[in-house]
Amino acid sequence: VAVALASPPTGAAGPPACRLLPPVREPPVRAFNFLIVGAQKSATTNARFVLSKHPDVWMVGRRKKGARNIPAEVKYFNVDRKYQKGLGWYHSFMEGAPPGKAVYGEKTVDYMAAGVEVLRRIHAYNPAMKLLVLLREGITEGEHVGGAGGDNY
């Protein structure tokens, strides 16, 4: 509980008047509002890097935070053991993020192919979540994953 001291009116004697102020509320926890998802080798890491340079964007990325190494991909919504750790764990990746950014995002390529349950989890977390989906041209991807082509299709 905070107390404010008001100065006595001009010419009045005595101690200042006291009044209770409403409790100070912590600002709500910032929430992620943007995800980069996509196919493997579709430049998602580059997209994260380029977007993180914008002054209104903050992205989770590979860096040291104290003794903890922050991974390039959080994989919160698609890995059950991580999801079961709860929002406190997920939001811990935002520690050190400056306030006032328009976009707080993370990149996890696997969200795209993880299935309907992952989409439900993302929607339950933030129904207004924005997704940047990066894809590759299918034949090129097949050649990359399957080898030189030909009988591998």
Side-chain angles (χ1 to χ4, degrees):
V1 174
V3 175
L5 299 176
S7 300
T10 305
C18 295
R19 64 184 169 94
L20 294 177
L21 297 176
V24 176
R25 296 183 195 265
E26 292 296 319
V29 174
R30 289 185 300 270
F32 288 103
N33 57 10
F34 177 75
L35 297 174
I36 297 175
V37 301
Q40 291 180 350
K41 304 294 182 189
S42 64
T44 55
T45 300
N46 188 56
R48 185 204 61 78
F49 176 78
V50 170
L51 287 170
S52 69
K53 298 297 182 191
H54 192 282
D56 291 332
V57 176
W58 185 88
M59 299 287 299
V60 171
R62 188 173 302 280
R63 64 187 177 285
K64 294 278 185 181
K65 185 177 84 176
R68 182 173 162 206
N69 187 27
I70 303 297
E73 296 191 5
V74 178
K75 300 183 180 187
Y76 173 69
F77 295 106
N78 65 318
V79 176
D80 287 339
R81 67 179 169 75
K82 292 181 177 184
Y83 188 73
Q84 291 167 357
K85 292 180 180 185
L87 289 177
W89 181 84
Y90 186 47
H91 287 162
S92 74
F93 289 91
M94 296 181 86
E95 289 176 13
K101 298 286 187 177
V103 174
Y104 293 93
E106 63 122 327
K107 171 192 85 86
T108 297
V109 175
D110 297 343
Y111 292 160
M112 189 176 84
V116 175
E117 183 58 29
V118 168
L119 296 176
R120 286 187 182 123
R121 289 174 176 181
I122 292 169
H123 185 265
Y125 170 73
N126 183 353
M129 182 73 79
K130 304 295 186 236
L131 303 175
L132 174 60
V133 179
L134 299 172
L135 303 172
R136 288 181 56 135
E137 187 269 319
I139 298 299
T140 304
E141 178 67 11
E143 290 173 354
H144 173 75
V145 173
D151 296 332
N152 293 327
Y153 296 109

